[in-house]
Amino acid sequence: MNSTVHDSLPCGIEYAALPLPKRHVVSFCLRVFAGAVDDPEEKLGLAKLVGETIDKGTERHTGRELSDAYDAIGASIDIGVGRETTTISCTVLPDHFERAVELTAEMLRTPTFPQEMFSVNVDLAQQELIALQDDPQSLADKIITRQSYGSVLGRYPLGEEATLARIKQDDLSEFWHNYYCGGRTIFSVAGAVEVSCATDTIEKHFAGFGQAEKQGRSPHPFDFNASATHQTKDLEQQQISLCWPGAEVTHSDFPAQRVMLGILSGGMSGRLFTEVREKQGLVYWVGAWNDTPRGGSLIFLGASTTPQRCDKTYATLLREVDRLADDVTQMELDRAITGILAARETRGDATRSQCMELINDLFFFGRPIPAEEKDEKIKAVGIGDIRSFFAKYPRDRISVVTLGPRALGQSDES
Amino acid sequence: MNNPYTMHKLDNGLQIVIEKMPDVRSAAAGFLVRTGARDEVAPQAGVSHFLEHMMFKGTAKRGWRDITIALDDLGSQYNAFTSEDRTVYYGWVRKADLEKQIEILADMLRSTLPGEEFDMEKNVVLEEIAMAKDSLEHIAFDFVQEKVFAGHPLAWPVLGYEKTVQDLSRDTMWDYFKKRYTPDNIVLVVSGQVDPAAIIDLAEKYCGSWKPGNEETRRTPPEIKGGIDSCCIDRFNQQILILTLPAVCSTDRLVESASAVATILGGDNSRFFWNIVQAGVSTRAGAYLMDYSDYGAMLLYGACQPENAEKLLDAIRRESKRICEDGVQEEEVDRVKNRRRTSLALESETPYHRLTHLMDDIEYRGGPRTVEQMLADVDAVSVQTVREYLERYPLDAAGHLASVGPRAWPTES
């Protein structure tokens, strides 16, 4: 029975709370609608720098004191800055829930962005950009994201060398002032805490957190750009990444997309693993997934292989997508559906997982979606839906990136 | 709290460890095989890992396709991994599917190593080795093992080398398999909302006919070598430095204190974070306790711009010296304990996480521990035990320094 409570507080924060009284922890998560899409074009990386520096000093505490205060209650806090939001997540023992919320509110409401911490974080961001060159898979992701989504949704949250150099300390305060407020914040909590206690605690510590009216809820539309790029790099393996537009998370076609991805790449019996790895030994890693900003999605296929096998791998990836609509079987469909349902049930034993599911529901749907409702939509997907899906979302226009020693069409084996 | 474990041994020597978790909806099962890279001979480096791949390729009852379909039909979250001293196969499923999960895993462990799949899978393993060569971190840690444990089986990479994998025959693997995958060398671990008596029956049903072996595992602890070694690879942009020092083994009473030292030096909100990363010297810096049943090593490491390598090394040495000379503060020890309490509470929620803890305890701590016992071990750490540890294993010793990246620095001379 779903006992999730969903509402908005006077401070503007929209929340969803799921009491799980038998659990021994409480997890909470906030998403502030402040991400790379909000960076000024000439100062890309600003939202990320704000996220990296926001915990480095408040009006009451230095960064180190703040970290020590979290540690004093055994709370570990994660801050991540993405394309559309900044996410803060935390798990604590139930007795320390209020203190953890209090510290998080202090951090988000009264950051000082000290000059020395700002300077170090700019320097570290520049170093991270260089380090990215040593991580081929992430580098290929960055290139294809920019190429396919374009100049706003395609931004790399870390920014670029030149844009980071333009950012000043005052820019952080200004960005924080513009984007960090109750009306731009969603909050989920799950675990051993009563709903009234949770909401009282949130309101108590976030009352007066900037503007309360809802903001930042509109998606950023994008025009998919279909093109192909090869970047030459001295690597042992060639990275292959390709994508095409799919359904957005809230669309009625999305369950079919999830099941389709399960058939392609849901387990070792998935089409890609079977056809690319097991039958031909072309790769160690191959996969399919979707990337889902609000307002759209892209379906990705990726693999890495030694250069002489690159063309064959690429051709097999495309072949498997192209034939799926024609020869998908009921058994494959059932298996993919089982995989999705079972994963929800097993992971549901983890409080943090429940909390993350709630925050994502708020982010995409603006309300918590009961597990039963989600499961019913997945169970309802049939072979006809998979076929119609490919008719509506064909891979006739694709974006391709290869990274490595050779461009496509230059392999020895084909 | 009552001991929630049921432990049993089948007549053929297979051990069973079961933990009941009454409040969960899922269950996890895994086979821990006590074999890994350190049980190989040099020309066969990588056989344990390649064998792990082959376990998915076919049995008398199932072909490779049948195995993966059977696992995915359960919606299982399954996988396998190989390390220096063990190979693990596991699956996490809805509780109603546990018997099937155990049956499939047990069947996989009686693989026929089908010859027709051997060469194809060899390609996959060679691709995995190629992938590792594109990871600076992977190269750096393999390089450390090669130098620090030179002359010992721990010196070679778990994946093996391109040549040893290329040269490996199915017959050689078969011999290794027959010797190492005997029931007396395997532990079945199960956690979740389960009936222990029923699990023992299942183990008897699916594993009871396995023939015991007579291979004795002969492992000798390595000697940790000192010195300076650099590996210059100019296609990378960062430099990784790793300082390796002797540490306690996993059964030593001071192992939790060693773990606390690693956290205080190199965890979140640590000395390295504030004094090295937040000083802008490197993007990453940490400490890792490698604690196995018969040896231990403390690895202090960081990644930086090549031109900052001297600064990074100085900073790591400075913090190591400081912790040895001044010890740690009460508050630092408390912080470690507080964080550990929360993480243990979190990890105790799911059968999968309990399974991994149980396997670690069985292999490295001499037997399973409850979450309460784990907490008690953490609570026993104090400023004094940390001091005692640092006196026994001083971190300001020279140790072994490895440097991997575009700079050929430093050289021993």
PDB file of all heavy atoms in Angstrom, chain B residues 201-216:
ATOM      1  N   ASP B 201      18.957 -27.925   2.400  1.00  0.00           N
ATOM      2  CA  ASP B 201      18.412 -28.980   1.528  1.00  0.00           C
ATOM      3  C   ASP B 201      18.714 -28.690   0.055  1.00  0.00           C
ATOM      4  O   ASP B 201      19.063 -29.598  -0.712  1.00  0.00           O
ATOM      5  CB  ASP B 201      16.890 -29.096   1.716  1.00  0.00           C
ATOM      6  CG  ASP B 201      16.534 -29.725   3.062  1.00  0.00           C
ATOM      7  OD1 ASP B 201      17.446 -30.282   3.719  1.00  0.00           O
ATOM      8  OD2 ASP B 201      15.352 -29.639   3.472  1.00  0.00           O
ATOM      9  N   LEU B 202      18.561 -27.421  -0.304  1.00  0.00           N
ATOM     10  CA  LEU B 202      18.833 -27.047  -1.700  1.00  0.00           C
ATOM     11  C   LEU B 202      20.306 -27.254  -2.041  1.00  0.00           C
ATOM     12  O   LEU B 202      20.646 -27.739  -3.133  1.00  0.00           O
ATOM     13  CB  LEU B 202      18.479 -25.570  -1.939  1.00  0.00           C
ATOM     14  CG  LEU B 202      17.004 -25.196  -1.925  1.00  0.00           C
ATOM     15  CD1 LEU B 202      16.840 -23.687  -2.097  1.00  0.00           C
ATOM     16  CD2 LEU B 202      16.272 -25.917  -3.053  1.00  0.00           C
ATOM     17  N   ALA B 203      21.158 -26.889  -1.098  1.00  0.00           N
ATOM     18  CA  ALA B 203      22.598 -27.058  -1.336  1.00  0.00           C
ATOM     19  C   ALA B 203      22.914 -28.537  -1.519  1.00  0.00           C
ATOM     20  O   ALA B 203      23.702 -28.921  -2.401  1.00  0.00           O
ATOM     21  CB  ALA B 203      23.390 -26.474  -0.171  1.00  0.00           C
ATOM     22  N   GLU B 204      22.306 -29.366  -0.710  1.00  0.00           N
ATOM     23  CA  GLU B 204      22.517 -30.816  -0.820  1.00  0.00           C
ATOM     24  C   GLU B 204      22.018 -31.317  -2.184  1.00  0.00           C
ATOM     25  O   GLU B 204      22.687 -32.099  -2.864  1.00  0.00           O
ATOM     26  CB  GLU B 204      21.756 -31.514   0.326  1.00  0.00           C
ATOM     27  CG  GLU B 204      21.994 -33.003   0.426  1.00  0.00           C
ATOM     28  CD  GLU B 204      23.443 -33.360   0.733  1.00  0.00           C
ATOM     29  OE1 GLU B 204      23.982 -32.813   1.716  1.00  0.00           O
ATOM     30  OE2 GLU B 204      24.029 -34.166  -0.022  1.00  0.00           O
ATOM     31  N   LYS B 205      20.851 -30.788  -2.549  1.00  0.00           N
ATOM     32  CA  LYS B 205      20.234 -31.220  -3.806  1.00  0.00           C
ATOM     33  C   LYS B 205      21.091 -30.838  -5.020  1.00  0.00           C
ATOM     34  O   LYS B 205      21.278 -31.633  -5.940  1.00  0.00           O
ATOM     35  CB  LYS B 205      18.852 -30.562  -3.909  1.00  0.00           C
ATOM     36  CG  LYS B 205      18.030 -30.907  -5.129  1.00  0.00           C
ATOM     37  CD  LYS B 205      16.640 -30.251  -4.974  1.00  0.00           C
ATOM     38  CE  LYS B 205      15.846 -30.255  -6.262  1.00  0.00           C
ATOM     39  NZ  LYS B 205      14.608 -29.471  -6.120  1.00  0.00           N
ATOM     40  N   TYR B 206      21.613 -29.609  -5.017  1.00  0.00           N
ATOM     41  CA  TYR B 206      22.309 -29.125  -6.208  1.00  0.00           C
ATOM     42  C   TYR B 206      23.834 -29.261  -6.154  1.00  0.00           C
ATOM     43  O   TYR B 206      24.486 -29.190  -7.190  1.00  0.00           O
ATOM     44  CB  TYR B 206      21.920 -27.662  -6.482  1.00  0.00           C
ATOM     45  CG  TYR B 206      20.447 -27.502  -6.769  1.00  0.00           C
ATOM     46  CD1 TYR B 206      19.627 -26.724  -5.963  1.00  0.00           C
ATOM     47  CD2 TYR B 206      19.859 -28.170  -7.855  1.00  0.00           C
ATOM     48  CE1 TYR B 206      18.268 -26.595  -6.215  1.00  0.00           C
ATOM     49  CE2 TYR B 206      18.504 -28.051  -8.118  1.00  0.00           C
ATOM     50  CZ  TYR B 206      17.711 -27.260  -7.292  1.00  0.00           C
ATOM     51  OH  TYR B 206      16.365 -27.148  -7.553  1.00  0.00           O
ATOM     52  N   CYS B 207      24.385 -29.420  -4.962  1.00  0.00           N
ATOM     53  CA  CYS B 207      25.857 -29.460  -4.858  1.00  0.00           C
ATOM     54  C   CYS B 207      26.347 -30.742  -4.160  1.00  0.00           C
ATOM     55  O   CYS B 207      27.564 -30.980  -4.106  1.00  0.00           O
ATOM     56  CB  CYS B 207      26.396 -28.257  -4.074  1.00  0.00           C
ATOM     57  SG  CYS B 207      25.691 -26.671  -4.540  1.00  0.00           S
ATOM     58  N   GLY B 208      25.411 -31.519  -3.615  1.00  0.00           N
ATOM     59  CA  GLY B 208      25.808 -32.674  -2.806  1.00  0.00           C
ATOM     60  C   GLY B 208      26.592 -33.725  -3.572  1.00  0.00           C
ATOM     61  O   GLY B 208      27.384 -34.461  -2.987  1.00  0.00           O
ATOM     62  N   SER B 209      26.383 -33.787  -4.881  1.00  0.00           N
ATOM     63  CA  SER B 209      27.065 -34.837  -5.660  1.00  0.00           C
ATOM     64  C   SER B 209      28.443 -34.395  -6.152  1.00  0.00           C
ATOM     65  O   SER B 209      29.152 -35.179  -6.785  1.00  0.00           O
ATOM     66  CB  SER B 209      26.202 -35.215  -6.864  1.00  0.00           C
ATOM     67  OG  SER B 209      26.069 -34.080  -7.705  1.00  0.00           O
ATOM     68  N   TRP B 210      28.840 -33.166  -5.867  1.00  0.00           N
ATOM     69  CA  TRP B 210      30.150 -32.689  -6.332  1.00  0.00           C
ATOM     70  C   TRP B 210      31.247 -33.489  -5.642  1.00  0.00           C
ATOM     71  O   TRP B 210      31.219 -33.678  -4.420  1.00  0.00           O
ATOM     72  CB  TRP B 210      30.336 -31.197  -6.042  1.00  0.00           C
ATOM     73  CG  TRP B 210      29.364 -30.299  -6.765  1.00  0.00           C
ATOM     74  CD1 TRP B 210      28.385 -30.669  -7.628  1.00  0.00           C
ATOM     75  CD2 TRP B 210      29.289 -28.877  -6.647  1.00  0.00           C
ATOM     76  NE1 TRP B 210      27.698 -29.563  -8.070  1.00  0.00           N
ATOM     77  CE2 TRP B 210      28.227 -28.442  -7.488  1.00  0.00           C
ATOM     78  CE3 TRP B 210      29.993 -27.914  -5.934  1.00  0.00           C
ATOM     79  CZ2 TRP B 210      27.863 -27.116  -7.620  1.00  0.00           C
ATOM     80  CZ3 TRP B 210      29.643 -26.578  -6.061  1.00  0.00           C
ATOM     81  CH2 TRP B 210      28.587 -26.181  -6.911  1.00  0.00           C
ATOM     82  N   LYS B 211      32.194 -33.932  -6.413  1.00  0.00           N
ATOM     83  CA  LYS B 211      33.282 -34.766  -5.859  1.00  0.00           C
ATOM     84  C   LYS B 211      34.330 -33.903  -5.165  1.00  0.00           C
ATOM     85  O   LYS B 211      34.826 -32.941  -5.750  1.00  0.00           O
ATOM     86  CB  LYS B 211      33.965 -35.557  -6.988  1.00  0.00           C
ATOM     87  CG  LYS B 211      33.022 -36.505  -7.729  1.00  0.00           C
ATOM     88  CD  LYS B 211      32.848 -37.810  -6.943  1.00  0.00           C
ATOM     89  CE  LYS B 211      31.864 -38.747  -7.623  1.00  0.00           C
ATOM     90  NZ  LYS B 211      30.457 -38.311  -7.569  1.00  0.00           N
ATOM     91  N   PRO B 212      34.688 -34.303  -3.948  1.00  0.00           N
ATOM     92  CA  PRO B 212      35.719 -33.532  -3.249  1.00  0.00           C
ATOM     93  C   PRO B 212      37.069 -33.666  -3.946  1.00  0.00           C
ATOM     94  O   PRO B 212      37.308 -34.655  -4.646  1.00  0.00           O
ATOM     95  CB  PRO B 212      35.759 -34.137  -1.843  1.00  0.00           C
ATOM     96  CG  PRO B 212      34.864 -35.311  -1.846  1.00  0.00           C
ATOM     97  CD  PRO B 212      34.196 -35.439  -3.171  1.00  0.00           C
ATOM     98  N   GLY B 213      37.926 -32.709  -3.731  1.00  0.00           N
ATOM     99  CA  GLY B 213      39.247 -32.775  -4.348  1.00  0.00           C
ATOM    100  C   GLY B 213      40.316 -33.016  -3.299  1.00  0.00           C
ATOM    101  O   GLY B 213      40.013 -33.183  -2.121  1.00  0.00           O
ATOM    102  N   ASN B 214      41.542 -33.026  -3.749  1.00  0.00           N
ATOM    103  CA  ASN B 214      42.612 -33.187  -2.770  1.00  0.00           C
ATOM    104  C   ASN B 214      43.712 -32.146  -2.955  1.00  0.00           C
ATOM    105  O   ASN B 214      44.807 -32.294  -2.479  1.00  0.00           O
ATOM    106  CB  ASN B 214      43.207 -34.605  -2.816  1.00  0.00           C
ATOM    107  CG  ASN B 214      43.592 -34.969  -4.239  1.00  0.00           C
ATOM    108  OD1 ASN B 214      43.662 -34.092  -5.094  1.00  0.00           O
ATOM    109  ND2 ASN B 214      43.839 -36.246  -4.491  1.00  0.00           N
ATOM    110  N   GLU B 215      43.369 -31.094  -3.691  1.00  0.00           N
ATOM    111  CA  GLU B 215      44.344 -30.028  -3.920  1.00  0.00           C
ATOM    112  C   GLU B 215      44.415 -29.133  -2.684  1.00  0.00           C
ATOM    113  O   GLU B 215      43.404 -28.666  -2.183  1.00  0.00           O
ATOM    114  CB  GLU B 215      43.900 -29.184  -5.132  1.00  0.00           C
ATOM    115  CG  GLU B 215      44.698 -27.923  -5.358  1.00  0.00           C
ATOM    116  CD  GLU B 215      45.951 -28.146  -6.189  1.00  0.00           C
ATOM    117  OE1 GLU B 215      46.238 -29.315  -6.497  1.00  0.00           O
ATOM    118  OE2 GLU B 215      46.626 -27.159  -6.497  1.00  0.00           O
ATOM    119  N   GLU B 216      45.614 -28.919  -2.235  1.00  0.00           N
ATOM    120  CA  GLU B 216      45.786 -28.046  -1.081  1.00  0.00           C
ATOM    121  C   GLU B 216      46.185 -26.656  -1.582  1.00  0.00           C
ATOM    122  O   GLU B 216      47.038 -26.543  -2.465  1.00  0.00           O
ATOM    123  CB  GLU B 216      46.894 -28.606  -0.202  1.00  0.00           C
ATOM    124  CG  GLU B 216      46.777 -28.184   1.246  1.00  0.00           C
ATOM    125  CD  GLU B 216      47.914 -28.795   2.050  1.00  0.00           C
ATOM    126  OE1 GLU B 216      48.122 -30.021   1.964  1.00  0.00           O
ATOM    127  OE2 GLU B 216      48.592 -28.030   2.722  1.00  0.00           O
TER     128      GLU B 216
END
